[in-house]
């Protein structure tokens, strides 16, 4: 039996992850373009706020996973 997939039509949901990646890269380009035009002090302050926010989120998730592990 031949398992050739050349004649199969593409699944429509196979395109969604690719579109998500393209949209994320486009958004990243817009954000980086904005940061390039912002003053350095503003960029550093916003970066520090984001770093603190991600640190708090990581600590909360770490604590949550310790208490909800199934054995």
């Amino acid at each position: 039996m031949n398992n050739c997939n050349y004649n199969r039509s593409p699944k429509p949901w196979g395109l969604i992850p690719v579109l998500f990646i393209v949209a994320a890269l486009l958004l990243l380009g817009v954000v980086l373009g904005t940061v390039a035009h912002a003053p350095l002090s503003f960029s550093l302050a916003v970066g520090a706020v984001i770093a603190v926010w991600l640190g708090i989120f990581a600590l909360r998730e770490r604590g949550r996973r310790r208490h909800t592990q199934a054995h």
Side-chain angles (χ1 to χ4, degrees):
M1 179 176 194
N2 188 0
N3 290 328
C4 182
N5 289 325
Y6 289 117
N7 294 327
R8 291 178 55 193
S9 61
K11 297 176 183 172
W13 57 85
L15 192 60
I16 292 174
V18 175
L19 291 177
F20 177 76
I21 291 170
V22 169
L25 288 173
L26 195 67
L27 183 62
L28 179 67
V30 170
V31 170
L32 288 178
T34 303
V35 169
H37 296 288
L40 181 62
S41 59
F42 175 77
S43 298
L44 292 175
V46 170
V49 168
I50 292 172
V52 168
W53 176 49
L54 288 174
I56 292 170
F57 176 77
L59 288 174
R60 287 180 60 200
E61 285 297 311
R62 184 176 168 189
R64 184 177 297 163
R65 291 205 177 148
R66 274 191 192 156
H67 297 296
T68 60
Q69 283 183 343
H71 294 297

